């Protein structure tokens, strides 16, 4: 009986590459749809969420001269020089003017939704085919000798016994593993899904400008 020879080509052909690719593509398509729906909902949330926006804070610095103070016997005292003139430093006074706030949406403030896209996917299949053949043979020979002798004649006989045994062991194993990987990248939001921002600058009534972003 011949020893079976492993057919590596048949083992590779049995790997369901088509089903693996289809399952991976289906999973990516479903995931992409779910991500797009979540990003679109985020656009709606950002467009309807407002906060109190402060357009500007004006800080005005003006000089405020003052005499340097030192402690004399634990009492703050104005410092004077050798000519008994007060030591003056140019201090500063800060006036803060906060403009009135008004409601602004997060989308107007520049908080843009994040969109994701699967860029590339990889399927890695690893297979290990192992075959082992173990053949052993055992041969045993035994010899028996006997002799018979009487007064006139003598006779003898020799008998040999041969014992032979053979064994053939064959093992065949196939091990396989697969891994799927995909890359998810951040992409800019689609232009059609973002609202237009139109700015009307009427700071100078004689020259009103309109810009769009």
């Amino acid at each position: 009986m011949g020893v079976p020879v492993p057919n590596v080509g048949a083992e590779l052909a049995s790997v369901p590459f088509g089903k693996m690719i289809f399952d991976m593509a289906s999973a990516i398509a479903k995931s992409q749809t779910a991500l797009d729906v979540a990003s679109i909902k985020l656009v709606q949330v950002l467009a309807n969420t407002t906060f109190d926006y402060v357009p500007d804070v004006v800080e005005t610095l003006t000089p405020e001269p003052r005499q340097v103070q030192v402690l004399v016997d634990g009492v703050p005292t104005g410092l004077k020089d050798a000519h008994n003139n007060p030591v003056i430093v140019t201090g500063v006074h800060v006036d803060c003017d906060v403009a009135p706030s008004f409601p602004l949406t997060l989308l107007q403030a520049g908080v843009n939704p994040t969109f994701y896209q699967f860029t590339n996917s990889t399927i890695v299949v690893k297979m290990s085919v192992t075959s082992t053949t173990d053949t052993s043979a055992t041969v045993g020979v035994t010899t028996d000798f006997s002799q018979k002798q009487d007064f006139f004649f003598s006779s003898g006989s020799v008998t040999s016994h041969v014992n032979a045994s053979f064994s053939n062991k064959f093992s065949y194993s196939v091990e396989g593993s697969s891994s799927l990987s995909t890359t998810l990248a951040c992409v800019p939001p689609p232009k059609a899904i973002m609202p237009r921002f139109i700015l009307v600058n009427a700071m100078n009534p004689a020259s009103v400008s309109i810009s769009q972003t």
Side-chain angles (χ1 to χ4, degrees):
M1 183 178 179
V3 177
V5 178
N7 190 341
V8 179
E11 297 294 345
L12 292 176
S14 65
V15 178
F17 287 107
K19 186 176 185 304
M20 294 173 64
I21 295 175
F22 176 79
D23 291 342
M24 186 176 189
S26 299
I28 290 176
K30 292 178 181 178
S31 301
Q32 185 68 65
T33 301
L35 291 173
D36 292 341
V37 170
S39 298
I40 292 173
K41 290 182 178 179
L42 181 58
V43 173
Q44 298 173 346
V45 171
L46 296 176
N48 292 284
T49 303
T50 60
F51 67 100
D52 292 332
Y53 173 70
V54 178
D56 53 66
V57 176
V58 180
E59 293 182 343
T60 305
L61 307 180
T62 56
E64 189 178 71
R66 62 183 180 84
Q67 184 178 8
V68 179
Q69 300 292 314
V70 295
L71 291 178
V72 178
D73 297 330
V75 179
T77 305
L79 180 64
K80 297 183 179 181
D81 58 14
H83 301 286
N84 203 28
N85 296 320
V87 178
I88 303 298
V89 295
T90 303
V92 63
H93 176 75
V94 181
D95 290 314
C96 183
D97 179 27
V98 180
S101 62
F102 56 87
L104 193 71
T105 67
L106 293 176
L107 203 59
Q108 288 176 299
V111 182
N112 294 325
T114 302
F115 282 79
Y116 297 95
Q117 186 178 50
F118 291 97
T119 56
N120 61 350
S121 302
T122 305
I123 299 178
V124 178
V125 177
K126 297 180 180 180
M127 179 173 290
S128 175
V129 180
T130 304
S131 63
T132 303
T133 302
D134 185 9
T135 303
S136 62
T138 303
V139 179
V141 179
T142 58
T143 303
D144 297 330
F145 176 77
S146 62
Q147 184 177 9
K148 183 179 180 181
Q149 184 175 2
D150 55 19
F151 185 76
F152 295 102
F153 303 98
S154 64
S155 61
S157 63
V158 177
T159 305
S160 298
H161 302 277
V162 179
N163 296 322
S165 63
F166 300 91
S167 64
N168 189 7
K169 297 180 181 179
F170 176 75
S171 64
Y172 177 55
S173 64
V174 179
E175 297 179 356
S177 64
S178 63
S179 63
L180 309 177
S181 63
T182 184
T183 302
L184 189 63
C186 180
V187 295
K191 293 183 178 180
I193 206 172
M194 296 294 292
R196 293 185 303 166
F197 289 95
I198 300 175
L199 175 64
V200 179
N201 188 350
M203 297 297 293
N204 184 5
S207 178
V208 178
S209 63
I210 300 176
S211 60
Q212 176 180 322
T213 58

